[in-house]
Amino acid sequence: PYAILTVAYFAYLSENYALCQDLYRRYTELYPEDAAEWNNLALTFKRAGRYLEEEHLYRRALALEPDNSNTENNLAVNLAHQGRFDEAERIMSGLKPAADERPYANLHRAKIAAAKGETKKAIRLLRTALADVDAMDTFHHIEFRQDIRLDPALAKLRKMKKVKRLLRDAYGDQTPIRIGARSVDSNGVSDG
């Protein structure tokens, strides 16, 4: 199981979602009671923009582990991607994240606000999330950076000078390297 999960994780980071999905599917066939891996399989559908399938997998994970705040966070953003903002905000308002989960919860709140077109609120929440990011474990911090770089809800924000400056302040002059960016503008800041 460790080998499958390790390769799946690195496939996810390298954006090879087809391989990642195959591996997580295989893992969930072997260990169907592992809620965390249903959540991880759902994340691959998020990156592919297949939100209905993603939602189904989060709900399956929550059926196994109903109070998992990471999965609830992910489901809320999924609902926002589908334009179901009231449901997304209802989930987020009911969360009681632990200290190490707060940055991710605030990032998800920022994504929901951005998807709703509430730019100022999204930037404020992103700033709050970045201020507490050191409380996160490495795995979730990597996903946090991937979300900043790839999530479609943040696409408009990523292009804003204010947000680029915010990311540079949080991660230093090497922001593109640290958040895994592929292309860099003349100021050393990623375009996406």
Side-chain angles (χ1 to χ4, degrees):
Y2 181 75
I4 293 171
L5 294 178
T6 300
V7 175
Y9 175 67
F10 284 101
Y12 180 78
L13 292 178
S14 67
E15 300 175 43
N16 185 342
Y17 303 125
L19 174 60
C20 187
Q21 284 176 6
D22 288 345
L23 291 166
Y24 280 130
R25 277 191 186 113
R26 178 68 180 138
Y27 183 90
T28 57
E29 288 169 4
L30 295 169
Y31 307 98
E33 299 303 312
D34 189 340
E37 301 319 319
W38 289 105
N39 176 75
N40 288 340
L41 177 58
L43 291 172
T44 67
F45 285 92
K46 171 179 77 170
R47 295 291 185 230
R50 294 168 56 187
Y51 301 126
L52 291 175
E53 291 149 303
E54 176 193 7
E55 177 186 357
H56 170 76
L57 293 166
Y58 290 138
R59 293 195 186 279
R60 185 156 187 181
L62 287 168
L64 294 167
E65 195 176 335
D67 295 324
N68 185 303
S69 63
N70 283 328
T71 304
E72 289 176 315
N73 262 307
N74 291 335
L75 175 59
V77 172
N78 167 270
L79 295 170
H81 284 150
Q82 296 180 58
R84 294 160 59 188
F85 301 115
D86 290 342
E87 291 174 80
E89 289 179 336
R90 195 169 30 258
I91 290 170
M92 294 305 293
S93 69
L95 287 180
K96 304 282 188 249
D100 63 334
E101 296 173 339
R102 277 188 218 125
Y104 215 17
N106 283 322
L107 176 63
H108 282 164
R109 287 182 178 98
K111 289 191 281 185
I112 293 167
K116 287 179 70 176
E118 298 173 346
T119 303
K120 287 182 182 180
K121 181 178 180 181
I123 293 170
R124 181 178 46 78
L125 288 163
L126 179 59
R127 182 178 291 111
T128 301
L130 287 165
D132 293 334
V133 79
D134 289 340
M136 298 175 77
D137 64 49
T138 301
F139 175 79
H140 288 100
H141 194 174
I142 291 169
E143 178 63 14
F144 182 95
R145 291 188 314 256
Q146 289 280 77
D147 272 358
I148 291 171
R149 185 171 67 86
L150 297 172
D151 197 283
L154 298 176
K156 180 180 171 185
L157 267 64
R158 285 190 298 264
K159 295 176 184 176
M160 298 175 67
K161 288 182 182 183
K162 184 179 210 174
V163 173
K164 289 179 181 185
R165 213 173 23 254
L166 180 64
L167 294 173
R168 191 172 41 246
D169 289 348
Y171 290 108
D173 291 335
Q174 298 298 313
T175 296
I177 295 167
R178 294 186 183 190
I179 65 169
R182 289 198 173 94
S183 58
V184 178
D185 68 14
S186 61
N187 295 317
V189 177
S190 166
D191 66 356

